[in-house]
Amino acid sequence: MNTLTTPPVGPLLDSLFEVASAVSPTDSPDFADLSSEEHARLMSSKVGYRDFYRRLKDFPLAVSRETGTLLYMLARGCRARSIVEFGMSFGISTLHLAAALRDNGGGRLITSEFEPSKVVKARENLTAGGVIDLVEIRQGDALQTLNADLPEVIDLVLLDGAKALYPEILSLLESRLRPGAFVIADNADYSPDYLARVRSTSNGYLSTPFGDDVEVSMRLG
């Protein structure tokens, strides 16, 4: 038995993944007619990300089941006690990470989300999952909310917000990453600058892709 697969988290995640699979941004008139080139431009933009993600406020933007399981396994495997997440959305990835903290004996998960309605929904989900006590939600632009009051040592980072900001968010956290800490970046292909950085061992990382759209990096020490 573990927190991830047993009630209340297990059945809650089943329900949330079912909802996430039933809706897509392509169902919205705002995105249905976007070309692949325009979609890629918006995903990679450092200028229009606030408006872009605000238009996605009603969509879960969830990690895959496989990525969620990976998050839990990595957090358990490295015995994480201190986790930072960029981009909470409805809290599906947050539930996986908080479940790992619970099974590691406790800890602190700092997560960020700038869309107020998503913060409300995620807080409800984390409360229903019985892990809200492990999570500190910081509402607002992560460039500000993750710029202060961080743990001295960070064991694991999940990057799943505006893709173009991945290098900047990593810079905010990097000095606190312990040797062996994991950094997981979802949809990392939309941030080539980030990939170039973590795929160079001269920058202090060992990195490899996972699945079709996730980059898993380890801080070297």
Side-chain angles (χ1 to χ4, degrees):
M1 290 180 63
N2 60 63
T3 300
L4 183 68
T5 60
T6 56
V9 173
L12 174 61
L13 282 172
D14 287 342
S15 176
L16 292 174
F17 274 122
E18 184 176 353
V19 171
S21 66
V23 296
S24 168
T26 57
D27 299 330
S28 167
D30 286 341
F31 299 100
D33 297 328
L34 280 184
S35 67
S36 58
E37 292 80 8
E38 180 66 5
H39 178 263
R41 186 190 70 78
L42 289 170
M43 287 285 285
S44 304
S45 174
K46 289 189 177 183
V47 179
Y49 68 90
R50 278 179 167 272
D51 177 64
F52 178 62
Y53 283 96
R54 187 161 287 120
R55 290 158 65 190
L56 291 168
K57 66 182 179 65
D58 295 324
F59 297 94
L61 303 181
V63 298
S64 68
R65 283 185 178 269
E66 294 78 11
T67 299
T69 300
L70 176 72
L71 292 173
Y72 176 84
M73 292 171 63
L74 290 176
R76 287 298 311 277
C78 75
R79 299 181 181 179
R81 290 301 186 101
S82 177
I83 298 174
V84 177
E85 178 183 41
F86 166 49
M88 176 178 59
S89 192
F90 288 175
I92 290 178
S93 55
T94 319
L95 282 163
H96 285 85
L97 293 169
L101 285 182
R102 178 73 78 214
D103 294 339
N104 284 346
R108 180 187 185 195
L109 167 54
I110 296 173
T111 185
S112 60
E113 175 60 49
F114 78 86
E115 178 54 51
S117 63
K118 285 196 167 183
V119 170
V120 172
K121 184 61 178 175
R123 191 183 300 277
E124 291 174 355
N125 289 333
L126 294 167
T127 300
V131 293
I132 190 65
D133 59 302
L134 299 167
V135 182
E136 177 187 339
I137 300 173
R138 298 187 181 182
Q139 182 178 318
D141 192 319
L143 292 175
Q144 281 75 52
T145 64
L146 297 182
N147 194 30
D149 190 24
L150 295 170
E152 288 297 318
V153 177
I154 297 173
D155 300 308
L156 186 146
V157 171
L158 172 61
L159 301 175
D160 196 18
K163 315 311 169 189
L165 300 185
Y166 283 4
E168 285 83 353
I169 298 298
L170 181 60
S171 292
L172 294 178
L173 309 175
E174 191 169 64
S175 65
R176 299 173 184 269
L177 295 176
R178 68 165 175 82
F182 288 108
V183 182
I184 303 97
D186 199 25
N187 305 121
D189 287 349
Y190 290 108
S191 186
D193 291 345
Y194 172 82
L195 288 179
R197 179 169 169 178
V198 297
R199 287 177 177 177
S200 173
T201 55
S202 64
N203 291 326
Y205 294 94
L206 187 64
S207 196
T208 189
F210 171 82
D212 295 329
D213 58 357
V214 176
E215 187 78 6
V216 180
S217 309
M218 185 178 72
R219 186 63 169 163
L220 301 175

